[in-house]
Structure formats: structure tokens, C-alpha cells
Amino acid sequence: MFLDIVTVLNLYITALFAGSLCFLYLRLRSLERDGLFLLFIAFFEIGTGFLFTGVCEKYFSHSGAWSFLSLLAGVAGYGIFYIGINFLNYSRHRTFLSVFFIFVVLILAAGFSLNFWRIARNRYVFFHMTDSVLLFAAACEIFGKTSSEPLTSRKWLGLSILVSASVFLFAGIGIIVCADYTQIIARGFYIQIICVFMITIFIFALVKERVEIKLKQASEIDMLTGIGNRRWFYSRVPGKVHLHDAFFIIDLDYFKRINDVYGHLGGDKVLIAVAGTISSLLRSHDILARYGGEEFIVYLPDTSRPDAAMIADRIRKGIEDLHVDYCRTQICVTASIGVACNNQHDTLLETMMEYSDKALYAVKKSGRNGFEIIMV
């Protein structure tokens, strides 16, 4: 298949400018903004570099200065793209970029002084090889955080960048070994047009997924204490509790009195400290949430009655030992804990909560700062 290189490059420039406008729009309209403005600059500069190349080839074929500027703009654009991917990825790998940038600048300067860039093949090879390295590094950045941020769009974005890097690499090799490399360049940039659109699409998808996750977290996390709220708790606890599971309701004693004496800011500090203490005393598979006000709820899978008693007393003592610093004084607090231990198969969660509430009432009736266990 014969491809007209001028048409392909014009389409590539159009794709780059379209992508840059997409990144600018996303930067202005999205809550997730890291790296997007740099990606806008990157695509815009690469497109501008190719415009320089077209002008240079048509009107200034013997001008080393124009050839050098067009090459510099294209390479710098992919360097900015790599930085933008770093910011988008919440990482800052400055060492690689600094060393690579110094290396590229030295080569560009040496080539310019020796009129090396007047030869079109030299410019094309350097452009393809340099950009392939930058794109491979960007792909590694994206794939490097797949485990910590397992988003579907991240994998596809990394793959799109990897394909783009590979195309540049193979095209650069083809330019070196083939006498007539025009069709190699044309076919390479034909694939790059698709890559530009795919990269743009999956960056959009990545930003969208992140925003959706943050909104979901905001709706399920208690903003004061940082632990899950009631909605989050119900989404993670089975509707029917299994045999030998336990359920706690933890209520802070006389919390209204703390708010009356120290104000709501003092009460908030107590709630934050209590949430942190309870969380530190639970097992990794236990589920803790703030139920509302001064109440916390805990679901403890596979917990016998003796284990439930040990954990409840440990939490009671941990809260009792708290001394919350506030306004040059220390606030002390205690808690009452109602415990329901399931001794049946498939007990409803509502039933466990009902029995925990009865146990909590019994603790309060007997003087508070303790725990009571009811077998369901």
C-alpha cells in the first residue's frame, strides 16, 4: 500500500493538535488536573515541530537553523510528554530526565556545530530513536503503578504508549538500513495517528476513572475520622452473618458532656483519636465504621466468644487510656460496648445489630465503661 507522506504527516499534525485541545479542555473541566497542561503543551509542541519541518523542507531546504529548530521542537515535545505522564502518574523521576536531557542537548549542539542536521536521514533517525526512548520510559511509568492503581484504562494507556514507542524504534531502524525510507516514515506515522488518538482516549478514561473512584470514596468515607461510614459498612458486610461471627456497637460515654464542656472541636478531636485507637486494636480483616454521632460499629468474622471478649476489653481499655490534648488540657473518655456473637447459621445482620444494641443497653444500665456479650 502506497501512502502519500505529506498527507499522512498533515493528518498526524491534525491528530496532535486535536489531542492537545482535548487535554486543555480536560484540564479546565476536570477535578483531576495533574499533568494535563503539560500534555497539552507536549502535543501542541510536537505538532508545531512538524509544521516547522514542513516549512523547512519546502522553503529552507538548505537552512541548518530551521532544520535544527524543527528537530528540537519535536524532541522537546516528547520530553514534555514524558514529564506530563510523570505528573499524571503522581511520580517525579527527575534523575532519568535530567541525564537524558543533558545527553540530548549535547548531541544536538554537536550536530548543529558540525552541520550534521542538514542531512535529512540524520534528523529522522535521531528524532525516531530519541522519541522511542522517551515513550518507552513513559510506558514504564504507567505500567509501574498498575498494582497500586489497578485501573483498566491504565493498562490500555500503557499499551498505547508502548506501541507508539515500538513504531518509532522500528521506523528509526528502517531509516538506517533502507536506501528509500519514505514509505517507512509514512507507514510509521500512519500508525502513530492511531496511537495519538488511543493515548488521548485512554488518558481521558484514566482521569474519569480516578474522579469516579474519588467521588465513590467521598460518599463512603467519614470525612472527620477517615474510616468508613454506614453506607460503606453495609456494602462490605454480608446480609446474613455466618456462624461464629461477632458484631460490636461501641458508644462513647457521656459524649454530649464533652461537647458541652470543650465544644464541638474538642469533641471532633476525641472522635478522631477514638477511631484511630479502635482501628489499631482490630485485626486486619475486621470491618470498622462510624455509625453516626459518637457510635462506632465493628464486624468481626470468625470470632469465638472468648476472642470477642478479649478484643472488646482491649478496645475498652485502649479508649480509657486515651488522653486527647486540646486547649492546654487533656480530654478523657470511656466507652460502652455491646457485643453479639452468632451461634447459628446465616443470622440476619439486622438481628445481630438488635442483639448488640440490647447488650449495649445492659452495659449502660450497669454503669458504663464496660462490655456485655449476648449469644445469638
Side-chain angles (χ1 to χ4, degrees):
M1 180 179 66
F2 179 83
L3 294 173
D4 179 50
I5 189 169
V6 175
T7 303
V8 171
L9 289 178
N10 285 334
L11 289 173
Y12 183 61
I13 293 168
T14 303
L16 288 167
F17 284 146
S20 69
L21 290 176
C22 288
F23 293 141
L24 181 60
Y25 172 81
L26 194 59
R27 170 65 173 78
L28 296 174
R29 299 292 297 176
S30 176
L31 298 174
E32 184 76 16
R33 297 180 174 182
D34 282 355
L36 292 174
F37 189 70
L38 285 172
L39 293 172
F40 155 72
I41 294 174
F43 273 27
F44 186 83
E45 184 156 342
I46 298 166
T48 304
F50 274 89
L51 284 178
F52 278 152
T53 301
V55 172
C56 172
E57 294 292 336
K58 188 171 182 179
Y59 300 106
F60 302 96
S61 58
H62 300 293
S63 171
W66 273 93
S67 300
F68 177 75
L69 286 175
S70 64
L71 177 63
L72 181 62
V75 172
Y78 277 102
I80 296 170
F81 177 81
Y82 171 77
I83 300 173
I85 290 295
N86 267 258
F87 276 75
L88 184 71
N89 209 38
Y90 302 141
S91 57
R92 307 287 187 270
H93 290 172
R94 296 188 180 91
T95 304
F96 165 78
L97 191 63
S98 299
V99 173
F100 189 77
F101 178 74
I102 293 171
F103 175 73
V104 169
V105 168
L106 290 175
I107 292 178
L108 286 171
F112 181 71
S113 63
L114 297 172
N115 291 324
F116 188 73
W117 306 125
R118 285 181 178 271
I119 303 172
R121 185 191 293 266
N122 296 339
R123 296 196 304 272
Y124 300 156
V125 170
F126 184 79
F127 174 83
H128 281 73
M129 292 304 187
T130 303
D131 295 343
S132 69
V133 172
L134 290 167
L135 286 168
F136 275 124
C140 290
E141 277 293 317
I142 294 297
F143 284 124
K145 287 197 174 181
T146 303
S147 57
S148 60
E149 191 182 40
L151 304 177
T152 304
S153 56
R154 172 178 287 278
K155 297 175 183 177
W156 285 104
L157 174 59
L159 183 62
S160 300
I161 298 173
L162 187 63
V163 170
S164 181
S166 302
V167 170
F168 272 130
L169 176 62
F170 290 123
I173 295 171
I175 295 169
I176 294 172
V177 300
C178 296
D180 184 7
Y181 50 80
T182 304
Q183 280 301 294
I184 293 175
I185 295 176
R187 288 169 183 167
F189 279 110
Y190 181 78
I191 300 173
Q192 292 294 355
I193 293 169
I194 301 172
C195 290
V196 167
F197 281 117
M198 296 302 289
I199 289 169
T200 304
I201 289 168
F202 289 122
I203 286 175
F204 254 77
L206 177 65
V207 172
K208 182 175 180 291
E209 279 192 83
R210 279 180 173 173
V211 171
E212 288 176 350
I213 288 173
K214 287 182 179 179
L215 289 174
K216 188 173 185 293
Q217 288 176 341
S219 69
E220 294 185 341
I221 299 299
D222 178 60
M223 298 304 292
L224 176 64
T225 60
I227 63 175
N229 58 20
R230 187 186 305 191
R231 177 179 177 180
W232 175 87
F233 183 83
Y234 285 134
S235 69
R236 281 158 177 78
V237 175
K240 291 185 177 180
V241 179
H242 303 141
L243 179 67
H244 301 316
D245 288 354
F247 188 88
F248 290 5
I249 295 180
I250 304 169
D251 185 84
L252 301 186
D253 299 327
Y254 305 111
F255 188 73
K256 185 179 182 300
R257 188 182 300 171
I258 293 174
N259 277 335
D260 292 341
V261 174
Y262 300 101
H264 285 91
L265 289 178
D268 287 349
K269 289 204 70 172
V270 170
L271 289 171
I272 294 169
V274 168
T277 298
I278 297 173
S279 181
S280 67
L281 296 174
L282 292 173
R283 302 164 301 182
S284 60
H285 58 276
D286 296 332
I287 300 174
L288 165 69
R290 184 183 176 192
Y291 194 66
E294 67 273 20
E295 282 191 340
F296 299 86
I297 49 178
V298 186
Y299 172 66
L300 302 96
D302 193 21
T303 304
S304 64
R305 189 186 191 285
D307 288 341
M310 181 185 66
I311 296 170
D313 193 51
R314 188 167 63 199
I315 291 173
R316 183 199 65 78
K317 288 180 179 178
I319 295 173
E320 185 181 34
D321 292 340
L322 267 179
H323 299 283
V324 182
D325 293 323
Y326 179 72
C327 292
R328 300 179 182 177
T329 188
Q330 289 188 329
I331 306 174
C332 297
V333 65
T334 60
S336 301
I337 305 173
V339 182
C341 291
N342 187 32
N343 202 31
Q344 305 177 40
H345 290 282
D346 297 332
T347 303
L348 291 174
L349 179 62
E350 289 81 0
T351 303
M352 295 291 289
M353 294 183 68
E354 181 183 342
Y355 278 92
S356 295
D357 211 37
K358 288 180 180 178
L360 178 64
Y361 178 76
V363 177
K364 289 184 176 182
K365 193 174 180 181
S366 64
R368 304 178 189 257
N369 190 22
F371 68 92
E372 185 72 35
I373 298 178
I374 294 180
M375 301 298 296
V376 179

